Amino acid sequence: MAFRRNKLLIDRFDLKIIEQLQRNDNLSIAQLAEGVGLSVTPCWRRIQRLEKEGVIEKRIAVLNPEKLNLGLTVFVMIKTDKHNQTWLDAFKEAVQSFPEVMEVNRLAGEYDYLLKVITRDNQSFDAFYKRLIAKIELSNVTSCFSMEQVKKTTELPLGDVI
């Protein structure tokens, strides 16, 4: 069975391929092909197509922040009273310039933006915070410090795709 999603044709082989790749990108093409029930050449062509179409954005190593002395995760909730393109462009430029900012989401609700920030410790977060508020005008900033990461995954829930 194949389906169209955003003008892309995805079938069960494509889903098997991306499911395997998001779990373990170190598989050889031969291992991957065997695991999804294809021969090597068609499997490789599908991977290339999925990359070209942007389904596979990039392949990366997932690092352990604790092992790299980056043990503090802070969720920063931002409110702004500026809702114009000039401010939005400046905000995007500001958050892009901070390597500590791992994710930025625009929200509906009480807060306008949610940032996921990873730093070494409270002092490094404080330094980040001071640089952030110096770079962009914000009306309210609330920070929540993560006490424990209960679940972490980079795998998308592909069972819900079809």
Side-chain angles (χ1 to χ4, degrees):
M1 176 164 104
F3 68 97
R4 287 203 181 274
R5 182 75 77 195
N6 298 326
K7 298 183 183 180
L8 298 175
L9 184 62
I10 305 277
D11 65 16
R12 66 182 178 87
F13 289 111
D14 293 332
L15 284 175
K16 285 182 180 180
I17 289 169
I18 58 180
E19 185 176 61
Q20 292 297 315
L21 285 175
Q22 73 175 353
R23 285 195 183 127
N24 183 0
D25 187 47
N26 289 326
L27 295 172
S28 70
I29 297 297
Q31 291 170 314
L32 184 60
E34 182 180 334
V36 301
L38 291 171
S39 60
V40 172
T41 301
C43 184
W44 177 241
R45 285 188 186 130
R46 285 172 178 269
I47 293 169
Q48 289 177 315
R49 179 180 54 80
L50 291 165
E51 288 175 338
K52 180 181 176 193
E53 292 174 346
V55 174
I56 299 172
E57 290 182 0
K58 61 183 170 178
R59 298 195 242 171
I60 59 170
V62 177
L63 306 178
N64 182 330
E66 296 282 333
K67 301 271 185 190
L68 297 166
N69 197 27
L70 295 168
L72 183 65
T73 300
V74 183
F75 295 94
V76 180
M77 295 173 288
I78 293 175
K79 287 183 184 180
T80 181
D81 54 6
K82 311 276 189 217
H83 295 281
N84 58 63
Q85 194 62 47
T86 302
W87 184 90
L88 180 58
D89 291 343
F91 177 74
K92 285 180 179 180
E93 183 180 324
V95 294
Q96 292 290 336
S97 73
F98 292 109
E100 301 94 336
V101 176
M102 305 304 297
E103 293 180 29
V104 178
N105 291 277
R106 188 167 58 88
L107 306 175
E110 185 177 350
Y111 288 90
D112 297 306
Y113 295 92
L114 176 67
L115 281 59
K116 180 180 179 183
V117 177
I118 295 182
T119 65
R120 188 175 58 254
D121 53 26
N122 287 342
Q123 293 78 18
S124 62
F125 176 74
D126 187 49
F128 158 79
Y129 174 81
K130 289 174 181 173
R131 291 190 329 269
L132 176 67
I133 62 172
K135 205 164 205 179
I136 189 80
E137 185 179 344
L138 306 169
S139 62
N140 188 322
V141 180
T142 300
S143 299
C144 297
F145 290 73
S146 176
M147 302 301 292
E148 176 186 15
Q149 187 173 62
V150 177
K151 179 181 178 180
K152 176 183 179 181
T153 184
T154 59
E155 295 181 28
L156 294 176
L158 298 178
D160 292 341
V161 172
I162 293 181

